[in-house]
Amino acid sequence: METQIGGPGGGDFAAATAMTIGMFVFVGLMILISLALTLIIWWKIFSKAGWSGALSLLMLVPFVNLIMAFYVAFATWPIQRELEALKRGQQ
């Protein structure tokens, strides 16, 4: 005898279990894709700014990611310092 869930007509327990597992797998894949994209994007930003791309790993740490975002936004980037030094050398 199978256990019925839901209202009239319900559904069987195995179908509900399969759907729940499918949802967990889907959500897990979305989380992994989101984390990978976050790392790739911040790796590029840090690299183009002149810092090590490995700093992108800090963007996965809660609250540290906020501090790093503010630092990136308001700090003088190494590439900017290098450009200013080159401009001074040409004058």
Side-chain angles (χ1 to χ4, degrees):
M1 180 173 164
E2 292 185 33
T3 305
Q4 296 288 322
I5 59 173
D12 63 19
F13 186 71
T17 303
M19 187 179 295
T20 303
I21 291 171
M23 289 294 288
F24 275 112
V25 169
F26 177 75
V27 170
L29 285 174
M30 291 298 109
I31 289 171
L32 288 175
I33 290 169
S34 175
L35 289 174
L37 285 174
T38 299
L39 285 176
I40 291 168
I41 291 167
W42 280 102
W43 194 287
K44 276 300 241 190
I45 290 171
F46 282 120
S47 296
K48 286 186 176 187
W51 290 305
S52 170
L55 286 172
S56 65
L57 295 172
L58 291 175
M59 299 310 285
L60 300 177
V61 181
F63 298 111
V64 174
N65 59 2
L66 294 174
I67 294 167
M68 288 302 296
F70 276 101
Y71 181 75
V72 168
F74 297 108
T76 303
W77 294 3
I79 195 77
Q80 287 176 315
R81 285 193 294 269
E82 185 178 329
L83 181 61
E84 290 169 4
L86 288 172
K87 284 181 181 178
R88 279 188 300 237
Q90 288 179 347
Q91 294 175 352

